[in-house]
Amino acid sequence: MSKLVQRIVALVVMLAVVMSATAYGASTFVVDYQELKSDAPVVMTVNGEEIHADEYASYMMSQIINYQQMYAMYGLSEKNMASTFGDAAKESAKQQVALIHIVKQKMDELGLSLSYSQKKNIVTANKQNAEQLGGEDAYLQRLASIGFDMDHYNNYQYVSACAQVLKDYYFGENGVSVPSDDELQKYFDDNYITAKHILILTKNPSTGETTRTDEEAKKDTGCSGSPEQRRGL
């Protein structure tokens, strides 16, 4: 195992032990994103926001577990894993941390937030998971085993729900990036109808005589009418 990978694993294991020891301080499940204070070293920044080692270690631990499961699936040994996973796991963890903070930053920028029901779903899911594992303490132990304490995991769940809110904001039924009817009409006029003229001609190729109008061609291709009519609305 390389010295670099040894140092990464040692850091993650050390922080996981600390998380396991402190996780039992949580007695209730929270629903809002928490700005967590930390004395751990700053290991990266996301648009100027400082990311501390304990948060990074949570995602690093999850990546290590993913690689362990993947290597076990293919019958590879930990020796094989140690020689290859270091850089990939570090990069994956960094991308996950960056994505979490970028989503939250974008939500704040747009003035968006989770609804009451969305927050309630997070609490309900946590309680159900705890019950299935035999209680809150068992649930906290489970989280600690994959590198998370309750605070970091709550933030992860919160931002995961935020990602769906952003998706709906941009690409939902009334999303800001959904094309208007005029844009749809122009797209069909500029692309679909032009292509169909190759198959359904409006002129006699021998004489150049017009045999049908563009509107008649649209009717033949099923593209006449409003965008709602074309979409069967």
Side-chain angles (χ1 to χ4, degrees):
M1 181 185 294
S2 70
K3 291 183 178 180
L4 174 61
V5 175
Q6 285 178 334
R7 288 197 296 268
I8 292 172
V9 173
L11 172 64
V12 173
V13 170
M14 177 188 71
L15 289 171
V17 171
V18 172
M19 289 176 185
S20 179
T22 60
Y24 293 94
S27 58
T28 58
F29 299 123
V30 298
V31 295
D32 287 310
Y33 187 90
Q34 302 178 83
E35 299 293 341
L36 302 176
K37 304 296 182 181
S38 175
D39 294 327
V42 174
V43 294
M44 61 183 285
T45 60
V46 179
N47 293 331
E49 185 177 353
E50 294 182 341
I51 310 300
H52 295 267
D54 49 356
E55 179 179 0
Y56 176 83
S58 296
Y59 294 93
M60 186 65 183
M61 174 66 83
S62 69
Q63 290 303 311
I64 290 175
I65 293 172
N66 286 339
Y67 273 86
Q68 286 176 328
Q69 292 173 343
M70 180 181 69
Y71 273 66
M73 183 184 301
Y74 291 101
L76 300 175
S77 67
E78 290 190 7
K79 181 178 180 180
N80 299 130
M81 182 182 76
S83 64
T84 59
F85 89 105
D87 290 338
K90 285 194 303 179
E91 185 62 28
S92 295
K94 183 173 74 173
Q95 290 177 359
Q96 279 194 316
V97 173
L99 179 61
I100 289 293
H101 286 268
I102 288 171
V103 168
K104 181 60 171 61
Q105 290 168 1
K106 197 64 180 177
M107 288 282 289
D108 293 342
E109 177 187 326
L110 295 171
L112 301 175
S113 61
L114 297 186
S115 66
Y116 171 80
S117 61
Q118 289 169 322
K119 292 179 181 180
K120 184 178 179 181
N121 288 340
I122 295 174
V123 175
T124 300
N126 277 325
K127 289 182 176 179
Q128 289 175 344
N129 289 334
E131 289 173 1
Q132 291 174 358
L133 289 171
E136 187 175 327
D137 285 352
Y139 186 40
L140 294 174
Q141 281 187 317
R142 171 59 181 159
L143 292 181
S145 73
I146 58 174
F148 282 103
D149 64 9
M150 197 68 242
D151 289 338
H152 283 102
Y153 192 65
N154 273 326
N155 281 356
Y156 169 77
Q157 291 177 299
Y158 184 95
V159 176
S160 296
C162 287
Q164 182 61 50
V165 172
L166 283 178
K167 180 180 178 182
D168 291 340
Y169 174 83
Y170 284 108
F171 307 111
E173 183 178 353
N174 299 311
V176 298
S177 295
V178 174
S180 66
D181 286 345
D182 288 341
E183 289 171 330
L184 287 173
Q185 178 71 61
K186 187 176 187 306
Y187 176 83
F188 275 95
D189 289 346
D190 292 347
N191 297 278
Y192 190 72
I193 298 301
T194 301
K196 284 299 183 180
H197 282 175
I198 299 172
L199 301 177
I200 302 180
L201 301 177
T202 58
K203 292 184 179 181
N204 186 310
S206 300
T207 65
E209 178 184 0
T210 298
T211 57
R212 71 185 75 196
T213 65
D214 285 346
E215 187 59 34
E216 289 171 335
K218 290 180 183 180
K219 290 181 180 179
D220 288 339
T221 59
C223 293
S224 60
S226 68
E228 290 89 348
Q229 291 172 326
R230 290 196 300 274
R231 288 179 292 186
L233 301 178

